[in-house]
Amino acid sequence: QVQLVESGGSSLPLGGSLRLSCEVSGINLEDYNIGWFRQAPGSEREGIACTSMGQVPSWESDSNFIKGRFTISRDNARTAVVLQMSDVVPDDTFLYSCSASRLYCGRLSRLSYFWGQGTQVIVST
């Protein structure tokens, strides 16, 4: 059974840093592209970054609201993908989710196949 479990979400003040983790089981992490997305209630998921297994390029959002502050990395030894967030602002308040896909690595959530339940991040002023 494939499972993606996000953790690390919390409430934090403006300017803080946070490390989100996506633990993967049931699949070989090295065979899948893993992406991070975020979503507000009633809105579509917004792609943040994707780390590729090698057959397609990795991808990072060029949104001015994201680039330069979020970093994605793999920890194959722990079967996890990490999203490091820095200099957070209230507009970073979202449910953050990770996804896995064999063929796609990019901004379109509908092209990812497996999903976790998400972890909530709340940034206050």
Side-chain angles (χ1 to χ4, degrees):
Q1 181 181 359
V2 179
Q3 282 192 313
L4 284 73
V5 180
E6 301 91 340
S7 62
S10 70
S11 297
L12 69 164
L14 173 71
S17 297
L18 198 61
R19 185 177 184 273
L20 305 183
S21 180
C22 173
E23 297 279 348
V24 179
S25 61
I27 56 175
N28 187 345
L29 184 61
E30 296 180 349
D31 293 335
Y32 280 79
N33 309 307
I34 305 296
W36 277 98
F37 293 78
R38 64 186 189 178
Q39 184 179 26
S43 299
E44 293 190 1
R45 287 188 177 104
E46 176 186 19
I48 300 170
C50 177
T51 176
S52 168
M53 64 175 177
Q55 292 190 359
V56 296
S58 292
W59 171 83
E60 293 183 350
S61 173
D62 59 359
S63 166
N64 288 331
F65 297 101
I66 292 175
K67 66 181 180 180
R69 298 189 299 117
F70 293 4
T71 302
I72 191 172
S73 62
R74 283 183 181 245
D75 182 352
N76 286 340
R78 291 181 55 242
T79 67
V81 174
V82 171
L83 183 69
Q84 181 69 45
M85 304 169 59
S86 61
D87 296 323
V88 296
V89 296
D91 284 345
D92 291 326
T93 296
F94 287 99
L95 181 70
Y96 286 74
S97 302
C98 60
S99 69
S101 172
R102 300 262 339 233
L103 301 177
Y104 179 73
C105 194
R107 69 174 67 247
L108 299 177
S109 62
R110 61 183 171 86
L111 296 183
S112 288
Y113 192 72
F114 298 110
W115 288 91
Q117 293 298 309
T119 185
Q120 183 69 45
V121 174
I122 300 173
V123 181
S124 58
T125 56

